[in-house]
Amino acid sequence: MGNESLVFMVMVIVQFAFAGMIIISKLVMDGGMNAFVQSAYRPIFATISIAPFAFFFERKTRPKLTRSILFQIFLCSIFGITANQNIYFIGIKNSTPTIVSALDNLIPAFTFIIAVPLGVEKLGLRSIAGQAKFWGTIVCVGGAMLLSLYHGKVVIGQLGFHWKYAESTGEDVNSAHSNFFLGPFLLIVSSLTYAIWLIIQARVNEKYAAPYTCTMLMCLMASVECVIIGFCVVPKLSEWALNPIRAISVIYNGVVATSFTYFLSSWCIEKKGPLYVSMFNPLLLVISAFLSWILLREKLYLGVVVGSIIVVAGLYGFLWGKKMETNAEAEDIKEKKQSTKLQTDLELQLPNFCSHHTESKQILSEAKAS
């Protein structure tokens, strides 16, 4: 029971860490920090913070790094960090934290859509589990479209209390900084690139069992890529200057929202499995909505609320179907193991039975002869 509570608390901490990243990133970008600069700094600090783990934990167990694996890690750096983070931070700048955390729930659905044609996942529409996954995906995407295209009236207005630094930026989160079509669209594309990364990363994990080293290399490659892109888009060195709040933002995003959360999530996956970890995604929506309402003066609109509810409902439908499928596969494996064991036992017992039967016939024959 203690272990259950510990894993639960760790996953809540992870969601708070992600929510903090969204809030502080939105804050500094509304204050004038360029999204490409923000994206360039994050993998740099992530590389620095995760390098000690890679060195001390995997220096004796690290497998050989082949060209094929290195190329796949390079692809992971492009889709998982460079493309994903640049699009993601521009999406945050043109959106609200609530919309950002709501659209993050599209990742399982997009992963499923990509995995089916690649043969990684089975559609299985004849089974209840397959239908749940299919319709859960459809509902998720439909909720995202509603959230992106429909604004509606204000459901919850601004809170009277505001963070002083947020007030000093001169704009609130619902101001001209937000574009209620461009922002959600970019966040949807960001979720798609992240789903592509998940598929490639799964292949890398099968061939290269050194997660810390793999992540360090991925972040190192992404640092070079993001810095090159950043300087092409923002050539002025003055735009790269870090005042105290910007420094806190980039260090937090690299160390806490990347290295720290990766370590904790990996531990939870080991203890409870990936499905358990993914079930906490909707909690990020609640935390982000609450914090942005308190700290960033965010208003909640009808389209955002309804769309978010639909996305979360679709996510849980998909995860329910996935859980049913996993349980069914586990039962099949268990039955096959039991059948194999029974067959082996019979094969072992049959020679003994035949031997005893032959001996009995010989004894009877000798008794009749005497």
Side-chain angles (χ1 to χ4, degrees):
M1 186 67 181
N3 191 47
E4 288 275 343
S5 301
L6 180 61
V7 176
F8 178 84
M9 289 302 298
V10 167
M11 281 310 305
V12 172
I13 291 170
V14 167
Q15 300 309 315
F16 268 102
F18 282 137
M21 180 199 72
I22 296 171
I23 297 295
I24 197 167
S25 298
K26 174 67 175 174
L27 184 66
V28 296
M29 286 189 290
D30 281 355
M33 188 176 189
N34 189 280
F36 289 98
V37 175
Q38 176 86 335
S39 301
Y41 275 117
R42 180 179 179 179
I44 293 173
F45 284 99
T47 304
I48 295 170
S49 60
I50 206 167
F53 292 97
F55 178 76
F56 289 109
F57 291 167
E58 296 176 344
R59 59 179 174 175
K60 295 181 180 180
T61 60
R62 189 182 298 118
K64 184 180 179 180
L65 187 64
T66 64
R67 290 182 180 179
S68 174
I69 295 171
L70 192 63
F71 177 70
Q72 290 179 43
I73 294 174
F74 170 70
L75 292 178
C76 286
S77 72
I78 292 176
F79 288 103
I81 299 181
T82 303
N84 176 264
Q85 291 304 307
N86 279 293
I87 297 170
Y88 186 74
F89 281 123
I90 298 172
I92 291 177
K93 185 175 179 63
N94 289 278
S95 187
T96 68
T98 303
I99 293 175
V100 172
S101 52
L103 292 177
D104 276 348
N105 291 302
L106 282 175
I107 293 171
F110 281 144
T111 306
F112 176 66
I113 292 171
I114 298 169
V116 169
L118 293 176
V120 179
E121 286 278 349
K122 295 179 181 178
L123 190 58
L125 289 177
R126 294 181 180 180
S127 65
I128 297 176
Q131 291 175 10
K133 290 196 300 180
F134 175 78
W135 289 113
T137 302
I138 296 298
V139 171
C140 256
V141 175
M145 293 299 103
L146 175 65
L147 187 150
S148 305
L149 300 175
Y150 176 65
H151 196 185
K153 63 180 182 180
V154 176
V155 177
I156 301 176
Q158 293 179 345
L159 186 65
F161 166 79
H162 310 305
W163 189 12
K164 288 184 178 180
Y165 186 84
E167 292 176 348
S168 69
T169 63
E171 298 282 356
D172 62 57
V173 77
N174 305 280
S175 69
H177 286 295
S178 299
N179 184 318
F180 283 96
F181 176 77
L182 178 63
F185 173 75
L186 291 174
L187 291 167
I188 291 170
V189 175
S190 174
S191 296
L192 181 60
T193 60
Y194 194 84
I196 295 171
W197 169 76
L198 285 174
I199 300 295
I200 302 172
Q201 186 64 47
R203 299 289 177 88
V204 174
N205 290 343
E206 292 175 1
K207 299 177 181 179
Y208 193 71
Y212 293 112
T213 303
C214 179
T215 304
M216 184 196 69
L217 290 172
M218 182 174 66
C219 291
L220 181 62
M221 292 177 184
S223 299
V224 177
E225 295 159 6
C226 288
V227 167
I228 292 172
I229 294 171
F231 272 111
C232 288
V233 178
V234 189
K236 291 184 179 179
L237 288 177
S238 59
E239 294 287 328
W240 292 75
L242 297 177
N243 59 27
I245 191 67
R246 291 186 182 186
I248 291 171
S249 173
V250 296
I251 293 171
Y252 178 92
N253 289 345
V255 177
V256 178
T258 303
S259 300
F260 181 66
T261 54
Y262 177 86
F263 175 78
L264 293 181
S265 298
S266 299
W267 181 80
C268 292
I269 289 171
E270 182 183 349
K271 295 293 181 183
K272 301 292 290 182
L275 185 65
Y276 180 87
V277 172
S278 64
M279 292 288 284
F280 283 82
N281 281 358
L283 180 61
L284 176 61
L285 171 60
V286 178
I287 297 170
S288 297
F290 181 72
L291 291 179
S292 59
W293 179 57
I294 291 178
L295 300 176
L296 303 183
R297 299 181 285 182
E298 180 180 355
K299 299 174 184 177
L300 291 181
Y301 294 91
L302 180 63
V304 175
V305 173
V306 175
S308 299
I309 292 171
I310 293 174
V311 168
V312 172
L315 172 67
Y316 275 115
F318 172 84
L319 293 175
W320 178 73
K322 183 64 179 174
K323 185 177 181 180
M324 286 183 63
E325 185 180 73
T326 304
N327 291 339
E329 289 175 355
E331 286 294 326
D332 288 342
I333 293 171
K334 186 177 179 181
E335 288 178 4
K336 286 179 181 178
K337 285 183 177 180
Q338 289 177 346
S339 177
T340 304
K341 184 180 179 183
L342 180 61
Q343 184 178 357
T344 304
D345 291 341
L346 287 172
E347 288 175 354
L348 291 172
Q349 292 174 8
L350 188 59
N352 294 331
F353 174 78
C354 293
S355 176
H356 288 307
H357 184 65
T358 303
E359 289 177 2
S360 299
K361 286 178 72 176
Q362 288 176 354
I363 292 170
L364 287 172
S365 299
E366 290 173 0
K368 286 180 181 178
S370 61

